[in-house]
Structure formats: C-alpha cells, structure tokens
Amino acid sequence: MDEEPQAKRRKLHFVDQNESRTAIHSMLDANNGATMLNSSANVSTASSLTRPITPPIIRRSKQASIDLTEGDIPSTSGSVAPDLLEEYTHSGIKLIPSPIHLTKVEGLSSALNIDTFSLQDIVGDPLIRECWVFNYLFDVEFLVSKLDEDVRDKVQVKIVHGSWKREDSNRLGIEEATTRHKNVQSITAYMPEAFGTHHSKMIINIRHDDSAQINILTANIVSGDWRMCQAVWRSPLLPLNKIASKSSPPSVFPKVGTGARFKFDIIAYLDQYGNKLKNLTVQLKEYDFSGILGALVASTPGRQNLRGTNPQQETLWGWPGLKNVLRSVPTSSGQRSHVVIQVSSVASLGSGNSWLRETFQETLASTSISSTSTLSQAKPKFSLVFPIADSIRRSVDGYGSGGSIHMKTQTPQGMKQLEYLRPLLCHWSGDHSEKELSARLSEISTDPLTTTSTREAGRKRAAPHIKTYIRFTDESMTRIDWAMMTSANLSTQAWGAKENAAHEVRVCSYEIGVIVWPGLWGNDVEMVPVFGKDIPDVEMAADVDRVDDYRQNSLIASAEGSRGENTKTVKKIGVRMPYDLPLVPYKEDETPWCTTMPDNVPDWMGRTWPGFGAG
C-alpha cells in the first residue's frame, strides 16, 4: 500500500514515556526559542464581513535568499499571502508563474513560504457553495475550521473517502463529525481491490458566483500534513458555459493538454465512483474548462485491456494513461535528459527490477513521435529523491513526520529492492555540513554552476509528503521538458502492474495528478525550475547566454513593428521546486528512512523513534 493505514501511525517514544502530545509542542516551544506548533494558534480567521471578497493583486517584492544551516530550527511566523497568478514581461521575456505551487508549511518562516497556499486559501472563500473533498485521511474538524467563519455551517461539504470498513478509525471519525455538522456528508468510494486505497487528493469548489475551481493536492486533510512539504495545482475559476452543453461525445476528440480533454478525463474519473457523485458530474459538465492548461493523469481500481482500448477516444488509468499523455509531449534535444522521481513512499516493487525498469521507467521515457533526435530518443538518466533518517530528525515535526514516509528495507525482499534502487537514490536534504556538501557536489559534476552554488528550494526542514515526477532537459537541470504533481507514490498499486499475457493492466488505487509542459503555453517557451518563489528570474546564471541566443534566433519581420523589425516574446514558465539542486547522491553507507527501523538518535526535540510494524 502507498501509505500506512491511520491505525499504524503510532505514538512516538519519548525520552520520558509519560509525556503527552501536548508536551511535545511545549518542548518545541521551549527548545531554541521556537514557537509552539499549534495549528489552531496559527490561524488568523478574518471575518468576511470586514474584508473584500476578492483581494487586489499584490506585487511580489524581491526577498533576500535564506540559507538553512544544520543548526536552524523552524519558526512559525506565517506566510506571505499568495498572489493571483500574473505574467510579467521584462526585456522581451514573458515570465509566467509556476502552475504547481508549494503549500504553506506551518513551522517555517514567512521568507520560506513565499507564493504558497494554505488549506484556508483553498477552502476559505465565502463564495464557496459546495466543497467536494477527496482524500485518504480526514480530520473533519480541521477542515471545517478552515472554511470562512461566516458561512462555515452553510457550505455543503462532501467528504469522499475509501474507508469502507465500519471499524476503520478514519471512517468512524468522519461519521462522528457528520453528527455535529449537518452540512457535512460522508461518501464512501467503492473499493473493489483488497490492496487498494482511496489515495486521490482533490478539492472541487462550486461557487455562488457561477464558477467552479479544481484543486489537486498531495496533502491529507489532517493538520500534521500541513507541516510537511506538499504541493497544490489550482485551476483557474471555471465559468459556466455560455452555450448549453451537450451530453453526446464531441465529434472531434479533444487534444491532450487542452481544457476540453481535461474536462473529458475528469468526468471519466468521477464516473468511476458510480452514481454517488452524479450530482457533481452533472454540475461540472456545465462549466467551461477552456482556461485549463495541463493534462489529468489518474488511476482508478480495476483492470483495463490495452488491446481493447483506444487512447485517442477514452481515458486510460495508471501508467498506460501517463504513457498516452507523454506520447503527446515533445522533448528537447541536444543533451541527455534526467528524470527525477520524488515520492513519500516506495512500496514493494518486487525483488527484481523488471516492473521498475521495463514498465515504469519505459513509461517515463516516453515522448512524442516528433521528438526524433538521437538524444531525445536516448534513455534518460533516472534518480529517486527520498529522505534519510537525518532529514526526518531535523524536520519541523521531527520523528512526528516519520509515520507518513515509507520504504521497507529490513525484509529480505526489501533488502533486494534496495540493492537495485541504491544507484538511483538522492537526498531530500543533503546538508549534513556545508563543508561536506561542497565536497560532495564537487564529486558530482565538473560544471562550474553545480560545483559552486546550490539552488535552494527552502524545504530542507519540511519532511516530504509531496510527490513529483520531473523530466529535466539537460544534465545541469536548468530546463524542464515536463513536470507532474500527483498523489501517486512509487507503487504498482498506484500506477498499475505489468501488462499480463491477456494484455490487461491491474490498478488497485484511486490516484490523481496533473502534468504540464512548455508547449501548452505556445511556441518559444522555456520551462525552468524556480526556487523560493513561483516566478522565474530574468537573469539566471545557468541560461542567460542561451536566452540571448534564443532571442536572436527569434528575430522576425513585423510590418507594424518600429524600424521594420521586432522580436518574438520568449516565454519562460517556472516550475516551483520542492528540493534543492544539484541533487546529492547517497553515500554507500547511507540508507533511506524506514519506519520499521528503531532509531535511538534523538530528533531536534529530544525524541527517539521506536520503529513500528517490526518484529
């Protein structure tokens, strides 16, 4: 399974066995002057009656870069409020903010939470009429507290979950909350696979102003997840169709990456729940999705026959669906590409690497037929970003985050799996010491950029629950061919098993994500990693010469231009990075964080980890 059941998120072992969860936060408050991590204490709910419903656009100001060192302890000082998405044009270069955003991490400073979104930003608008929340784990009181206080008891909240067992603690908590909140309804998804989970993380808001918005997340609806590194993709506000929609399928099937295809795919996904979500699908069909740039990549439980499906006319699930999308995405030529898998859980993939190599890596290497150069067709380099115990110990919640991050390395199969994963493994935060980091970066590459500077994402002290899959164009990792944010971890349950002799692929879980690539924004577009904010820099040491060359090559005649010539506007779109670059590979004696392995080294709050599920 991708995530451990809630029942297995056991209590931590403290130096003093009798300390309670409240005492943990008191220790945090007293330790090194850090502020107590109390989610309710950090919420400042403004009355919708005394503030404008639509805030004015806030111009970003330049922020000083923050270097996190080993001794840094997180502090809570709130985030900078996220801007409405804006495009900037500077010297003929149009700068487009990242379509993938990081969430605000409670426990990090405001300087590290620029252009981030909190749960309250997503569900706290007083114009929300219906809030459909799809997830794995729920704390309904936590969710309700983030709704606007003036409409908290009026918003129709639909909790869509997969906890079908009546004794399941997650289900019991949800049902108990519905007795207190008459506007909250529990909807249990059909779970046909014994080893599957309802792991999708999505919030669909239907609004009073005749618009709707789709939010796809990586976080559970529990407070602890919002003290970890997470991400969110948000659609624009979708207006009602001006022309009455037709129930019949389109005569020309929409192209992958368009809003029309996104609409087709998300309706197909919701249809997998049966009549339970009919009210939602009927409503969504009335909205105009043309403003969406991106492709939906989702999983639903069941078997699909690849010989009996037409990917140009229907939605595929799991890795077949991802492969179909990537076959529409051109990749750049000139250098060997680098695909980085970054997840919070790695399931049992098998003692051999056949699924990983022959099914999943082959899928991630897929590209459009138009990408015909030798290098674009060459196999990419692959890396897997995953934390070690030191990263967990020094995160905002210390070992408290450890129960959400999984890779089994102690069983015989787990040890064999680790053998073939080891060459791929890279650190989430490889900053044991600046001296050691500098020395190790020097070993990685002779590129002057990567040996002398680290591009800081500002999330080293936030344990990773985010899941991203990114294809970098070049080995210096300065450009991106495509980027995907999803709920899906590295598992056959999430992505689907190998195709069997009957050409069937079995998928066990519900998952959902979004993939974006430069061509969605037109021609002359570069997608680049951005750090600490959503908007790209104009002058980037890694590519300023290339941009100059690019612009020179884009000279065109313009009848209306001054002096008879003009330049095409080069577009540069950012992808907000959750981890630092360059990547730092594991050393031979380093191993991934393993929840079943006890650890007597105290975290920054003085706690030790007993391990769970072992023995």
Side-chain angles (χ1 to χ4, degrees):
M1 295 174 64
D2 297 337
E3 294 199 20
E4 294 290 338
Q6 188 180 35
K8 290 189 177 181
R9 295 192 173 187
R10 298 184 180 178
K11 294 182 179 179
L12 299 174
H13 172 76
F14 300 95
V15 176
D16 179 351
Q17 292 276 357
N18 295 319
E19 290 183 73
S20 65
R21 184 69 177 172
T22 303
I24 302 174
H25 295 301
S26 298
M27 290 169 60
L28 180 58
D29 187 34
N31 191 62
N32 294 310
T35 304
M36 186 171 77
L37 289 180
N38 184 320
S39 59
S40 62
N42 289 317
V43 175
S44 177
T45 307
S47 171
S48 60
L49 300 178
T50 58
R51 61 168 169 77
I53 290 175
T54 303
I57 292 175
I58 303 170
R59 294 283 179 178
R60 292 174 175 85
S61 59
K62 293 184 178 180
Q63 302 288 332
S65 60
I66 303 297
D67 293 325
L68 290 173
T69 62
E70 183 178 7
D72 283 335
I73 296 298
S75 63
T76 55
S77 53
S79 67
V80 175
D83 298 356
L84 298 176
L85 286 181
E86 281 187 272
E87 294 182 0
Y88 299 80
T89 301
H90 182 86
S91 301
I93 302 175
K94 181 175 287 186
L95 306 177
I96 304 172
S98 174
I100 296 171
H101 314 282
L102 296 182
T103 61
K104 174 191 172 185
V105 176
E106 297 179 6
L108 294 183
S109 67
S110 58
L112 298 179
N113 275 317
I114 295 171
D115 297 342
T116 60
F117 287 85
S118 67
L119 180 58
Q120 190 165 1
D121 292 323
I122 297 169
V123 302
D125 193 314
L127 288 180
I128 294 173
R129 173 167 53 86
E130 295 178 19
C131 184
W132 295 76
V133 187
F134 299 69
N135 222 298
Y136 176 64
L137 290 177
F138 285 91
D139 177 347
V140 176
E141 294 300 333
F142 174 69
L143 171 64
V144 170
S145 73
K146 304 303 179 182
L147 301 174
D148 184 271
E149 62 182 354
D150 294 320
V151 296
R152 193 167 289 161
D153 60 347
K154 298 179 177 62
V155 178
Q156 296 303 303
V157 179
K158 316 292 185 179
I159 303 294
V160 185
H161 61 93
S163 300
W164 58 272
K165 293 182 179 179
R166 295 198 175 277
E167 68 274 17
D168 187 292
S169 59
N170 189 50
R171 177 178 179 137
L172 292 173
I174 294 169
E175 291 183 345
E176 194 273 333
T178 62
T179 64
R180 295 191 304 275
H181 302 282
K182 301 304 181 184
N183 56 318
V184 177
Q185 178 186 355
S186 172
I187 301 173
T188 306
Y190 174 58
M191 302 297 300
E193 294 286 344
F195 296 101
T197 59
H198 185 266
H199 201 241
S200 293
K201 294 165 173 58
M202 176 169 63
I203 298 175
I204 299 177
N205 292 325
I206 308 295
R207 296 162 51 90
H208 287 288
D209 59 357
D210 291 336
S211 67
Q213 186 170 39
I214 298 169
N215 304 269
I216 295 177
L217 322 166
T218 64
N220 288 290
I221 308 299
V222 293
S223 61
D225 269 35
W226 297 82
R227 295 193 292 273
M228 303 175 73
C229 183
Q230 308 279 7
V232 58
W233 172 90
R234 310 189 75 195
S235 78
L237 292 180
L238 309 175
L240 282 172
N241 285 315
K242 294 180 180 178
I243 303 175
S245 62
K246 299 179 181 179
S247 58
S248 58
S251 56
V252 178
F253 203 69
K255 183 180 178 182
V256 170
T258 62
R261 179 57 186 260
F262 192 102
K263 181 177 184 177
F264 179 91
D265 289 337
I266 199 167
I267 295 296
Y269 170 80
L270 296 173
D271 282 344
Q272 299 299 304
Y273 291 81
N275 288 330
K276 293 182 178 183
L277 301 185
K278 184 176 180 180
N279 178 263
L280 176 60
T281 56
V282 167
Q283 291 187 79
L284 284 182
K285 288 177 181 178
E286 301 304 317
Y287 289 91
D288 179 1
F289 281 61
S290 61
I292 289 180
L293 299 175
L296 192 79
V297 177
S299 296
T300 62
R303 296 175 184 267
Q304 52 192 334
N305 189 308
L306 300 188
R307 291 290 178 92
T309 57
N310 181 356
Q312 303 307 316
Q313 298 291 328
E314 59 188 293
T315 306
L316 300 182
W317 311 116
W319 66 259
L322 174 59
K323 176 175 279 191
N324 182 56
V325 171
L326 292 179
R327 283 176 171 168
S328 300
V329 180
T331 54
S332 302
S333 60
Q335 296 190 51
R336 186 188 182 194
S337 61
H338 188 170
V339 176
V340 179
I341 301 167
Q342 177 277 306
V343 293
S344 62
S345 293
V346 178
S348 297
L349 308 177
S351 56
N353 68 350
S354 62
W355 179 85
L356 179 65
R357 179 170 49 85
E358 298 169 10
T359 297
F360 198 58
Q361 287 184 345
E362 282 293 321
T363 295
L364 294 173
S366 300
T367 186
S368 72
I369 298 174
S370 61
S371 302
T372 56
S373 76
T374 302
L375 278 168
S376 65
Q377 293 296 321
K379 299 295 183 185
K381 176 182 178 180
F382 286 92
S383 294
L384 171 59
V385 173
F386 200 85
I388 62 173
D390 181 75
S391 298
I392 303 300
R393 284 193 289 264
R394 296 197 289 149
S395 67
V396 169
D397 266 358
Y399 283 131
S401 299
S404 300
I405 299 173
H406 304 280
M407 186 190 299
K408 292 182 179 179
T409 60
Q410 290 186 296
T411 63
Q413 181 172 318
M415 288 186 282
K416 288 182 179 180
Q417 180 170 295
L418 181 58
E419 288 180 10
Y420 65 77
L421 289 178
R422 180 169 289 283
L424 310 178
L425 285 168
C426 294
H427 283 274
W428 171 254
S429 55
D431 62 336
H432 306 302
S433 72
E434 291 301 321
K435 183 177 180 181
E436 179 184 356
L437 177 60
S438 178
R440 293 173 70 178
L441 290 179
S442 298
E443 297 171 0
I444 296 169
S445 172
T446 57
D447 187 328
L449 174 73
T450 60
T451 57
T452 59
S453 65
T454 300
R455 289 172 280 173
E456 296 265 0
R459 285 297 181 269
K460 285 197 289 280
R461 298 289 77 85
H465 194 261
I466 186 174
K467 297 95 171 142
T468 58
Y469 300 75
I470 300 176
R471 178 167 174 152
F472 292 90
T473 305
D474 50 356
E475 292 189 56
S476 60
M477 306 175 86
T478 58
R479 288 180 293 158
I480 290 172
D481 283 333
W482 53 258
M484 178 171 61
M485 182 221 77
T486 175
S487 63
N489 280 302
L490 188 57
S491 77
T492 59
Q493 292 93 337
W495 289 108
K498 291 183 68 172
E499 182 180 356
N500 63 21
H503 305 292
E504 291 179 330
V505 173
R506 178 191 179 193
V507 178
C508 293
S509 296
Y510 291 91
E511 307 280 359
I512 199 161
V514 175
I515 184 169
V516 295
W517 59 94
L520 298 174
W521 281 263
N523 299 319
D524 300 319
V525 181
E526 281 192 337
M527 185 170 275
V528 297
V530 292
F531 301 82
K533 59 183 180 179
D534 282 356
I535 197 79
D537 290 320
V538 179
E539 302 292 335
M540 299 182 69
D543 63 356
V544 65
D545 292 335
R546 185 177 67 253
V547 169
D548 288 342
D549 292 342
Y550 194 25
R551 291 185 60 209
Q552 289 297 321
N553 293 334
S554 297
L555 286 171
I556 58 171
S558 173
E560 297 178 359
S562 60
R563 294 184 295 277
E565 67 176 25
N566 199 357
T567 59
K568 287 183 179 179
T569 299
V570 176
K571 298 175 185 176
K572 189 186 293 287
I573 181 168
V575 172
R576 182 70 173 267
M577 296 301 299
Y579 46 82
D580 298 350
L581 292 178
L583 299 177
V584 179
Y586 278 31
K587 293 192 296 186
E588 289 186 5
D589 62 343
E590 291 175 325
T591 57
W593 164 255
C594 176
T595 54
T596 61
M597 186 179 297
D599 198 326
N600 292 322
V601 178
D603 67 8
W604 72 277
M605 290 179 276
R607 304 176 295 180
T608 60
W609 179 256
F612 63 74

PDB file of all heavy atoms in Angstrom, residues 446-462:
ATOM      1  N   THR A 446      31.614  18.487 -12.998  1.00  0.00           N
ATOM      2  CA  THR A 446      32.633  19.497 -13.226  1.00  0.00           C
ATOM      3  C   THR A 446      32.015  20.806 -13.712  1.00  0.00           C
ATOM      4  O   THR A 446      32.722  21.749 -14.007  1.00  0.00           O
ATOM      5  CB  THR A 446      33.636  18.999 -14.282  1.00  0.00           C
ATOM      6  OG1 THR A 446      32.918  18.664 -15.480  1.00  0.00           O
ATOM      7  CG2 THR A 446      34.383  17.767 -13.773  1.00  0.00           C
ATOM      8  N   ASP A 447      30.710  20.846 -13.814  1.00  0.00           N
ATOM      9  CA  ASP A 447      30.002  22.054 -14.219  1.00  0.00           C
ATOM     10  C   ASP A 447      30.229  23.137 -13.170  1.00  0.00           C
ATOM     11  O   ASP A 447      29.920  22.948 -11.994  1.00  0.00           O
ATOM     12  CB  ASP A 447      28.505  21.748 -14.336  1.00  0.00           C
ATOM     13  CG  ASP A 447      27.722  22.923 -14.912  1.00  0.00           C
ATOM     14  OD1 ASP A 447      28.117  24.077 -14.673  1.00  0.00           O
ATOM     15  OD2 ASP A 447      26.710  22.665 -15.589  1.00  0.00           O
ATOM     16  N   PRO A 448      30.788  24.309 -13.561  1.00  0.00           N
ATOM     17  CA  PRO A 448      31.061  25.359 -12.568  1.00  0.00           C
ATOM     18  C   PRO A 448      29.834  25.773 -11.781  1.00  0.00           C
ATOM     19  O   PRO A 448      29.909  26.081 -10.617  1.00  0.00           O
ATOM     20  CB  PRO A 448      31.587  26.527 -13.431  1.00  0.00           C
ATOM     21  CG  PRO A 448      32.082  25.882 -14.682  1.00  0.00           C
ATOM     22  CD  PRO A 448      31.210  24.687 -14.913  1.00  0.00           C
ATOM     23  N   LEU A 449      28.666  25.763 -12.424  1.00  0.00           N
ATOM     24  CA  LEU A 449      27.445  26.165 -11.712  1.00  0.00           C
ATOM     25  C   LEU A 449      27.150  25.217 -10.568  1.00  0.00           C
ATOM     26  O   LEU A 449      26.896  25.616  -9.448  1.00  0.00           O
ATOM     27  CB  LEU A 449      26.265  26.197 -12.684  1.00  0.00           C
ATOM     28  CG  LEU A 449      24.905  26.474 -12.016  1.00  0.00           C
ATOM     29  CD1 LEU A 449      24.817  27.930 -11.587  1.00  0.00           C
ATOM     30  CD2 LEU A 449      23.753  26.113 -12.943  1.00  0.00           C
ATOM     31  N   THR A 450      27.196  23.892 -10.843  1.00  0.00           N
ATOM     32  CA  THR A 450      26.794  22.932  -9.834  1.00  0.00           C
ATOM     33  C   THR A 450      27.860  22.737  -8.773  1.00  0.00           C
ATOM     34  O   THR A 450      27.565  22.264  -7.693  1.00  0.00           O
ATOM     35  CB  THR A 450      26.469  21.576 -10.474  1.00  0.00           C
ATOM     36  OG1 THR A 450      27.628  21.090 -11.154  1.00  0.00           O
ATOM     37  CG2 THR A 450      25.330  21.704 -11.452  1.00  0.00           C
ATOM     38  N   THR A 451      29.093  23.086  -9.063  1.00  0.00           N
ATOM     39  CA  THR A 451      30.131  22.882  -8.054  1.00  0.00           C
ATOM     40  C   THR A 451      30.258  24.075  -7.124  1.00  0.00           C
ATOM     41  O   THR A 451      30.851  23.957  -6.055  1.00  0.00           O
ATOM     42  CB  THR A 451      31.493  22.620  -8.712  1.00  0.00           C
ATOM     43  OG1 THR A 451      31.812  23.712  -9.585  1.00  0.00           O
ATOM     44  CG2 THR A 451      31.461  21.333  -9.517  1.00  0.00           C
ATOM     45  N   THR A 452      29.727  25.222  -7.513  1.00  0.00           N
ATOM     46  CA  THR A 452      29.928  26.398  -6.683  1.00  0.00           C
ATOM     47  C   THR A 452      28.662  26.913  -6.028  1.00  0.00           C
ATOM     48  O   THR A 452      28.736  27.753  -5.144  1.00  0.00           O
ATOM     49  CB  THR A 452      30.535  27.542  -7.526  1.00  0.00           C
ATOM     50  OG1 THR A 452      29.639  27.837  -8.609  1.00  0.00           O
ATOM     51  CG2 THR A 452      31.895  27.120  -8.093  1.00  0.00           C
ATOM     52  N   SER A 453      27.493  26.459  -6.453  1.00  0.00           N
ATOM     53  CA  SER A 453      26.276  27.002  -5.870  1.00  0.00           C
ATOM     54  C   SER A 453      25.204  25.932  -5.764  1.00  0.00           C
ATOM     55  O   SER A 453      25.132  25.020  -6.576  1.00  0.00           O
ATOM     56  CB  SER A 453      25.747  28.180  -6.715  1.00  0.00           C
ATOM     57  OG  SER A 453      25.346  27.722  -7.986  1.00  0.00           O
ATOM     58  N   THR A 454      24.386  26.067  -4.725  1.00  0.00           N
ATOM     59  CA  THR A 454      23.224  25.213  -4.550  1.00  0.00           C
ATOM     60  C   THR A 454      21.987  26.072  -4.729  1.00  0.00           C
ATOM     61  O   THR A 454      21.874  27.145  -4.137  1.00  0.00           O
ATOM     62  CB  THR A 454      23.222  24.584  -3.145  1.00  0.00           C
ATOM     63  OG1 THR A 454      24.399  23.807  -2.979  1.00  0.00           O
ATOM     64  CG2 THR A 454      22.007  23.684  -2.969  1.00  0.00           C
ATOM     65  N   ARG A 455      21.064  25.618  -5.546  1.00  0.00           N
ATOM     66  CA  ARG A 455      19.805  26.330  -5.733  1.00  0.00           C
ATOM     67  C   ARG A 455      18.841  25.841  -4.655  1.00  0.00           C
ATOM     68  O   ARG A 455      18.422  24.696  -4.654  1.00  0.00           O
ATOM     69  CB  ARG A 455      19.267  26.069  -7.145  1.00  0.00           C
ATOM     70  CG  ARG A 455      20.096  26.761  -8.220  1.00  0.00           C
ATOM     71  CD  ARG A 455      19.687  26.341  -9.625  1.00  0.00           C
ATOM     72  NE  ARG A 455      20.253  25.054  -9.995  1.00  0.00           N
ATOM     73  CZ  ARG A 455      19.937  24.398 -11.105  1.00  0.00           C
ATOM     74  NH1 ARG A 455      19.028  24.897 -11.932  1.00  0.00           N
ATOM     75  NH2 ARG A 455      20.508  23.245 -11.393  1.00  0.00           N
ATOM     76  N   GLU A 456      18.533  26.729  -3.722  1.00  0.00           N
ATOM     77  CA  GLU A 456      17.813  26.375  -2.500  1.00  0.00           C
ATOM     78  C   GLU A 456      16.307  26.457  -2.688  1.00  0.00           C
ATOM     79  O   GLU A 456      15.764  27.507  -3.030  1.00  0.00           O
ATOM     80  CB  GLU A 456      18.216  27.324  -1.365  1.00  0.00           C
ATOM     81  CG  GLU A 456      19.678  27.217  -0.961  1.00  0.00           C
ATOM     82  CD  GLU A 456      19.876  26.276   0.209  1.00  0.00           C
ATOM     83  OE1 GLU A 456      18.874  25.724   0.694  1.00  0.00           O
ATOM     84  OE2 GLU A 456      21.028  26.121   0.645  1.00  0.00           O
ATOM     85  N   ALA A 457      15.618  25.339  -2.427  1.00  0.00           N
ATOM     86  CA  ALA A 457      14.162  25.314  -2.506  1.00  0.00           C
ATOM     87  C   ALA A 457      13.501  25.784  -1.218  1.00  0.00           C
ATOM     88  O   ALA A 457      12.319  26.108  -1.207  1.00  0.00           O
ATOM     89  CB  ALA A 457      13.682  23.906  -2.846  1.00  0.00           C
ATOM     90  N   GLY A 458      14.264  25.792  -0.113  1.00  0.00           N
ATOM     91  CA  GLY A 458      13.706  26.242   1.166  1.00  0.00           C
ATOM     92  C   GLY A 458      12.805  25.232   1.839  1.00  0.00           C
ATOM     93  O   GLY A 458      11.948  25.594   2.643  1.00  0.00           O
ATOM     94  N   ARG A 459      12.982  23.944   1.528  1.00  0.00           N
ATOM     95  CA  ARG A 459      12.127  22.913   2.122  1.00  0.00           C
ATOM     96  C   ARG A 459      12.935  21.796   2.791  1.00  0.00           C
ATOM     97  O   ARG A 459      12.388  20.727   3.073  1.00  0.00           O
ATOM     98  CB  ARG A 459      11.199  22.314   1.051  1.00  0.00           C
ATOM     99  CG  ARG A 459      10.018  23.241   0.661  1.00  0.00           C
ATOM    100  CD  ARG A 459       9.119  23.481   1.835  1.00  0.00           C
ATOM    101  NE  ARG A 459       7.964  24.312   1.573  1.00  0.00           N
ATOM    102  CZ  ARG A 459       7.935  25.631   1.708  1.00  0.00           C
ATOM    103  NH1 ARG A 459       9.033  26.287   2.053  1.00  0.00           N
ATOM    104  NH2 ARG A 459       6.820  26.305   1.504  1.00  0.00           N
ATOM    105  N   LYS A 460      14.202  22.039   3.083  1.00  0.00           N
ATOM    106  CA  LYS A 460      15.016  21.001   3.731  1.00  0.00           C
ATOM    107  C   LYS A 460      14.465  20.619   5.094  1.00  0.00           C
ATOM    108  O   LYS A 460      14.590  19.475   5.523  1.00  0.00           O
ATOM    109  CB  LYS A 460      16.470  21.478   3.864  1.00  0.00           C
ATOM    110  CG  LYS A 460      17.260  21.465   2.573  1.00  0.00           C
ATOM    111  CD  LYS A 460      18.756  21.539   2.833  1.00  0.00           C
ATOM    112  CE  LYS A 460      19.204  22.888   3.334  1.00  0.00           C
ATOM    113  NZ  LYS A 460      19.353  23.867   2.259  1.00  0.00           N
ATOM    114  N   ARG A 461      13.888  21.595   5.795  1.00  0.00           N
ATOM    115  CA  ARG A 461      13.394  21.323   7.148  1.00  0.00           C
ATOM    116  C   ARG A 461      11.919  20.917   7.151  1.00  0.00           C
ATOM    117  O   ARG A 461      11.298  20.852   8.206  1.00  0.00           O
ATOM    118  CB  ARG A 461      13.592  22.554   8.043  1.00  0.00           C
ATOM    119  CG  ARG A 461      15.034  22.995   8.243  1.00  0.00           C
ATOM    120  CD  ARG A 461      15.838  22.030   9.113  1.00  0.00           C
ATOM    121  NE  ARG A 461      16.244  20.826   8.417  1.00  0.00           N
ATOM    122  CZ  ARG A 461      17.340  20.724   7.660  1.00  0.00           C
ATOM    123  NH1 ARG A 461      18.113  21.767   7.471  1.00  0.00           N
ATOM    124  NH2 ARG A 461      17.644  19.583   7.076  1.00  0.00           N
ATOM    125  N   ALA A 462      11.365  20.646   5.982  1.00  0.00           N
ATOM    126  CA  ALA A 462       9.986  20.149   5.880  1.00  0.00           C
ATOM    127  C   ALA A 462      10.059  18.746   5.298  1.00  0.00           C
ATOM    128  O   ALA A 462      10.500  18.556   4.165  1.00  0.00           O
ATOM    129  CB  ALA A 462       9.149  21.062   4.990  1.00  0.00           C
TER     130      ALA A 462
END
